[in-house]
Amino acid sequence: MRNNLIFFICFLSIMLSGCWDVINIEDRGFIIGSAIDLEDGTDDKKPEFKVTNQMVIPAGITSPTHGGGGNQKAFLNFTSKGRSVYRIDEEISALSSKTPFYEHLALLIISEDVAKIEHVFSNLLDTYIRDVNMRRGIKVIVSKGDAKKLLDFQPQEDKLPAIHIDQLLEHSSKQVGFLKPRRVGDIEEYHLRQVSYILPLLSVDENIEHKAGAIFHGLQDKMVGTFNEDEMQGFELMKTAAIEKVIDFTYKDHIFTLEVNNSKNKISVDPSNIDEIKITVDINIDGIIKESFGKIDVSNPSELKAIQKAVSEKVKSSIDHTIKKGQDELGADVFGIWQILETKHYDVWKKVRNDWEKGEYYYRKATFEVNVKTDIYSIGTSDKTD
């Protein structure tokens, strides 16, 4: 009986003691965005970093009608320097009375200076992949200029810069057709397979601009260049179904705007001659003329046919330029031709894979043929003024 009583008391003590390592929610500092820059004057061989973490201040988010913080700032940015991201995060922990909590980290921003140093970006990303407190769904972007400036930017419509950028990325990819955001888990796959890829490239001035792409070479393991807005449009039309994309083009010295409601694309590869692999890109675009600046009757069938041809030529020119830059200047197969070879022509892929983006560089020897067909099925605007 005595032993049973002792056992019961011990058991009760354990059950009532609770979790010894629990942290109250009010003591947590919720980190929602991180930015990594190079320290000024750093050596590329032994780079030193500046890491900025954006921490939420709940009182600044709460509406004044609910007893909240009114004009109080909704976030704080903490910056520290060092050669190790893990060590820097430890130092940042000492700058706040809150315990940093990274499970809600939504955004990781890498400056282009960091991204251009060989092997550095993949090593930094490994820190975020291995940390059990961080999720693989963190969106990753590259900044033109200092990454910290994006976290410092205060938008008018949102209180939290990191959340504003996160929503901007989602909105832009769904509604405007810009590059779909890439996540930590996706990029890890690219690094493991040593394949080339594109990340969104953002810049900030009066507003945050999201119209360019940062090109990463898989084998070189670094950022090797950029696609501008026109080149990104060519890339998107070639690679993805562009919904609600807008194309500006010129016809008879007048500016027209086409809204793309649907596009279909097909890329086929003929590897019969590995020294000159032939790639055919077929694109079909359906759209509506939304705006025109000229006295042209776009409802006239012959005029409409000529306008459709003008759209096709504009899209083809954009894609041709993008392909040429990807091949000749950057040497990075961001178009995924390697994947078509691997899945549909594996015997050929085994022969060329070790020299696809290096050595014999079969990717640069490949030839592209781009065919574009445009159907304008509705005239949203017309000008018949004499």
Side-chain angles (χ1 to χ4, degrees), residues 31-43:
I31 307 298
I32 56 172
S34 291
I36 304 178
D37 291 295
L38 275 184
E39 172 64 352
D40 296 336
T42 191
D43 183 355

Side-chain angles (χ1 to χ4, degrees), residues 12-269:
L12 193 62
S13 300
I14 294 172
M15 294 299 294
L16 293 177
S17 64
C19 297
W20 63 270
D21 61 344
V22 71
I23 300 174
N24 294 327
I25 190 168
E26 60 268 19
D27 294 327
R28 292 187 185 273
F30 292 93
I31 307 298
I32 56 172
S34 291
I36 304 178
D37 291 295
L38 275 184
E39 172 64 352
D40 296 336
T42 191
D43 183 355
D44 284 2
K45 294 183 179 179
K46 294 182 179 180
E48 186 173 355
F49 307 105
K50 291 185 296 186
V51 177
T52 302
N53 284 336
Q54 186 162 104
M55 182 183 293
V56 177
I57 301 176
I61 299 176
T62 310
S63 169
T65 57
H66 291 82
N71 294 324
Q72 183 176 344
K73 201 172 182 180
F75 67 93
L76 281 177
N77 288 340
F78 296 95
T79 302
S80 190
K81 307 173 185 178
R83 298 192 184 278
S84 162
V85 172
Y86 180 79
R87 180 62 60 87
I88 294 171
D89 283 341
E90 289 294 314
E91 293 179 3
I92 290 177
S93 301
L95 299 177
S96 172
S97 60
K98 306 289 187 180
T99 301
F101 187 68
Y102 291 92
E103 197 164 316
H104 295 286
L105 181 64
L107 187 69
L108 175 62
I109 309 171
I110 306 292
S111 76
E112 59 180 342
D113 289 337
V114 172
K116 288 178 179 178
I117 303 176
E118 190 173 5
H119 304 310
V120 165
F121 176 45
S122 56
N123 290 335
L124 289 174
L125 202 66
D126 192 58
T127 302
Y128 291 84
I129 292 170
R130 291 178 181 277
D131 195 321
V132 295
N133 295 315
M134 297 185 189
R135 299 177 180 178
R136 295 171 65 86
I138 302 168
K139 295 184 181 69
V140 184
I141 62 173
V142 178
S143 70
K144 187 173 181 62
D146 290 343
K148 183 179 183 296
K149 288 183 178 180
L150 286 170
L151 287 186
D152 287 337
F153 179 77
Q154 180 64 71
Q156 294 182 355
E157 65 268 36
D158 292 306
K159 292 188 175 183
L160 299 171
I163 299 302
H164 173 75
I165 297 171
D166 181 50
Q167 293 174 349
L168 174 67
L169 292 169
E170 291 293 339
H171 172 79
S172 296
S173 64
K174 291 179 180 178
Q175 303 298 328
V176 192
F178 288 131
L179 181 66
K180 182 180 179 181
R182 300 291 189 260
R183 291 169 168 78
V184 165
D186 301 326
I187 301 171
E188 182 190 21
E189 293 291 331
Y190 300 148
H191 289 166
L192 289 174
R193 300 205 64 174
Q194 294 184 308
V195 298
S196 300
Y197 60 94
I198 304 181
L199 291 182
L201 178 66
L202 273 64
S203 60
V204 60
D205 191 5
E206 294 182 2
N207 294 294
I208 293 177
E209 295 289 336
H210 173 210
K211 297 180 179 180
I215 313 301
F216 286 79
H217 194 290
L219 292 174
Q220 295 181 29
D221 195 16
K222 66 177 182 178
M223 176 181 165
V224 293
T226 63
F227 279 170
N228 61 28
E229 181 178 0
D230 186 63
E231 292 158 351
M232 282 304 303
Q233 185 176 79
F235 174 82
E236 290 287 340
L237 285 168
M238 176 179 170
K239 286 292 294 176
T240 63
I243 304 300
E244 297 187 19
K245 179 180 285 295
V246 174
I247 298 174
D248 295 325
F249 64 98
T250 302
Y251 174 68
K252 290 185 177 180
D253 297 325
H254 297 298
I255 302 297
F256 286 76
T257 299
L258 177 80
E259 181 184 63
V260 178
N261 283 351
N262 186 36
S263 72
K264 297 179 181 179
N265 41 51
K266 179 182 178 182
I267 302 176
S268 54
V269 177

Side-chain angles (χ1 to χ4, degrees), residues 232-328:
M232 282 304 303
Q233 185 176 79
F235 174 82
E236 290 287 340
L237 285 168
M238 176 179 170
K239 286 292 294 176
T240 63
I243 304 300
E244 297 187 19
K245 179 180 285 295
V246 174
I247 298 174
D248 295 325
F249 64 98
T250 302
Y251 174 68
K252 290 185 177 180
D253 297 325
H254 297 298
I255 302 297
F256 286 76
T257 299
L258 177 80
E259 181 184 63
V260 178
N261 283 351
N262 186 36
S263 72
K264 297 179 181 179
N265 41 51
K266 179 182 178 182
I267 302 176
S268 54
V269 177
D270 176 6
S272 53
N273 180 3
I274 64 171
D275 290 319
E276 193 177 322
I277 294 173
K278 295 180 180 179
I279 300 144
T280 303
V281 182
D282 294 308
I283 298 173
N284 293 295
I285 296 173
D286 297 333
I288 301 172
I289 295 292
K290 298 296 290 185
E291 193 172 18
S292 63
F293 297 91
K295 300 175 182 179
I296 297 175
D297 184 5
V298 294
S299 63
N300 183 296
S302 60
E303 203 80 77
L304 182 60
K305 186 176 180 180
I307 291 173
Q308 290 177 157
K309 182 179 179 182
V311 175
S312 297
E313 290 176 348
K314 167 64 188 297
V315 173
K316 174 176 167 56
S317 175
S318 176
I319 294 174
D320 283 340
H321 176 74
T322 304
I323 291 170
K324 182 175 178 59
K325 185 173 183 179
Q327 275 188 297
D328 298 342

Side-chain angles (χ1 to χ4, degrees), residues 313-370:
E313 290 176 348
K314 167 64 188 297
V315 173
K316 174 176 167 56
S317 175
S318 176
I319 294 174
D320 283 340
H321 176 74
T322 304
I323 291 170
K324 182 175 178 59
K325 185 173 183 179
Q327 275 188 297
D328 298 342
E329 182 180 332
L330 306 176
D333 180 15
V334 292
F335 309 107
I337 307 303
W338 69 269
Q339 198 167 24
I340 299 174
L341 284 169
E342 184 185 52
T343 55
K344 296 186 177 181
H345 308 281
Y346 187 67
D347 288 342
V348 174
W349 175 242
K350 285 193 296 184
K351 297 177 183 178
V352 303
R353 62 184 175 187
N354 292 328
D355 288 288
W356 184 243
E357 290 180 304
K358 67 175 184 177
E360 291 293 329
Y361 236 124
Y362 291 107
Y363 167 61
R364 277 185 170 153
K365 295 178 182 180
T367 60
F368 284 79
E369 179 185 339
V370 179

